[in-house]
Amino acid sequence: MNKGKVCVFGSFNLDIVAGMARFPKPGESLIARNSMMGAGGKGANQAVAALRAGARVHYIGKVGRDDFGMFARRHLDSAGFDAVTLFSTSEYPTGNALIYVAGADAENMIAVDPGANLTVTDEEVEQCRPAVAAADILLTQLENNLSAIEKLIGIAKDNGTYIILNPAPFQPVSDHLLAQVDLLTPNATECTLLTGIEVRDIPSAGRAAHALHAKGIQALIITLGTQGALLSVNGETQIIHACPATPVDTTGAGDAFNGALASQLAAGASLPEAAQFASAYASVCVERAGAAASMPTYEEARERMGVAVI
């Protein structure tokens, strides 16, 4: 396949995951069925997904000068990225997340301390200008300070780099910023918060998509878990079907979808083709434990789609 260039700006977190029969109630202590520690953060997860789905990836992030930060460097150095730009600070810790995974559907609850992720400076952003300008795709999220995200998107816009914004975790953003984005990829919860329209299914996602188009967003994909996703481009909608899966851990599903989506768009796929591949890719991801560690390969996603890999 033709490997495109994806620049991912986003968070790195050290994830501490506990597998539970059910979520604990307030004040309750439960014995976990299992636990693990690994690399996470939406930016790092999506960068690994884009890489394993076939793209050449330049990851940009920031960590603390602590033990977790050393873990981050080792992980990122061994991932296989084309390039890594990793800023650091001694004033804040490396981002970290405490994650419960519970129940037959492997749903998750996550508490995140963003730490260094929220301290990216204007000067550091400016150092990233050549990497963003050289990329086919800029993929970013909302787990860093908004000032840095806005400036990176501005640089991408100035240089004609296609911009994907995954608005997770949700924080309020201006309509001006949303209108600069080429593709917005909220899930149902984020879409509800962006529009005030409760998104539960395809019809309600369609109403929310109409509201987002009114804000100046030309293209968006609203992910709906097992219901699939709604792709809407200038009001023309298409359902992206979910691939069957037996979930073990849904923690990285959205990140898998976004990274795989970016990889395929960078390689020249159409938006519907890229979205269907991303759906298959995410379905393989949820059948494995962990976040970055659970990201499948390009071949595994194509096999899930029932397409032979040549």
Side-chain angles (χ1 to χ4, degrees):
M1 62 175 295
N2 175 32
K3 292 190 174 184
K5 297 180 180 178
V6 177
C7 181
V8 181
F9 170 67
S11 57
F12 180 94
N13 293 327
L14 185 86
D15 287 349
I16 301 171
V17 185
M20 314 291 291
R22 60 174 175 82
F23 295 120
K25 298 176 181 178
E28 182 183 22
S29 296
L30 289 179
I31 301 297
R33 294 189 293 197
N34 52 66
S35 65
M36 63 178 290
M37 184 176 74
K42 292 189 177 299
N45 291 345
Q46 292 180 20
V48 171
L51 175 72
R52 294 186 183 171
R56 298 170 58 191
V57 175
H58 187 147
Y59 170 71
I60 301 168
K62 190 168 184 177
V63 298
R65 295 177 191 146
D66 51 20
D67 290 344
F68 287 0
M70 293 174 63
F71 179 97
R73 290 183 186 280
R74 290 194 299 270
H75 167 75
L76 296 168
D77 286 345
S78 65
F81 298 129
D82 266 25
V84 174
T85 300
L86 194 62
F87 302 109
S88 66
T89 175
S90 58
E91 297 180 11
Y92 293 87
T94 299
N96 57 89
L98 305 177
I99 303 171
Y100 289 136
V101 178
D105 294 332
E107 286 297 334
N108 62 75
M109 295 175 62
I110 306 175
V112 179
D113 176 7
N117 292 308
L118 296 182
T119 70
V120 182
T121 67
D122 291 352
E123 293 77 12
E124 289 166 342
V125 170
E126 191 58 35
Q127 292 179 48
C128 303
R129 184 176 292 272
V132 175
D136 298 303
I137 305 279
L138 172 66
L139 172 60
T140 190
Q141 318 80 31
L142 295 179
E143 209 164 31
N144 294 88
N145 47 304
L146 194 56
S147 59
I149 296 165
E150 290 171 337
K151 291 182 184 301
L152 258 295
I153 288 176
I155 290 171
K157 195 75 173 177
D158 291 343
N159 288 277
T161 302
Y162 189 92
I163 303 161
I164 302 175
L165 174 62
N166 175 221
F170 176 80
Q171 59 173 300
V173 292
S174 68
D175 290 353
H176 173 73
L177 178 65
L178 294 176
Q180 293 185 67
V181 171
D182 293 295
L183 176 62
L184 190 72
T185 60
N187 65 17
T189 300
E190 293 143 10
C191 197
T192 297
L193 293 167
L194 281 166
T195 64
I197 297 169
E198 185 178 356
V199 176
R200 304 175 306 278
D201 49 25
I202 293 293
S204 55
R207 294 191 292 273
H210 180 76
L212 288 169
H213 287 313
K215 294 177 180 287
I217 301 164
Q218 294 187 3
L220 58 104
I221 299 174
I222 303 171
T223 56
L224 299 165
T226 57
Q227 297 182 68
L230 181 73
L231 167 62
S232 184
V233 181
N234 293 321
E236 294 293 325
T237 61
Q238 180 176 337
I239 296 172
I240 306 299
H241 296 287
C243 291
T246 304
V248 171
D249 182 356
T250 60
T251 304
D255 297 334
F257 185 95
N258 279 275
L261 178 73
S263 77
Q264 298 309 292
L265 289 175
S270 69
L271 196 45
E273 289 170 340
Q276 193 59 64
F277 174 88
S279 178
Y281 189 93
S283 76
V284 179
C285 171
V286 302
E287 294 185 338
R288 304 169 178 177
S294 68
M295 298 303 170
T297 63
Y298 171 82
E299 290 79 11
E300 287 171 320
R302 296 289 284 180
E303 183 179 348
R304 179 58 57 91
M305 295 173 72
V307 178
V309 179
I310 300 174

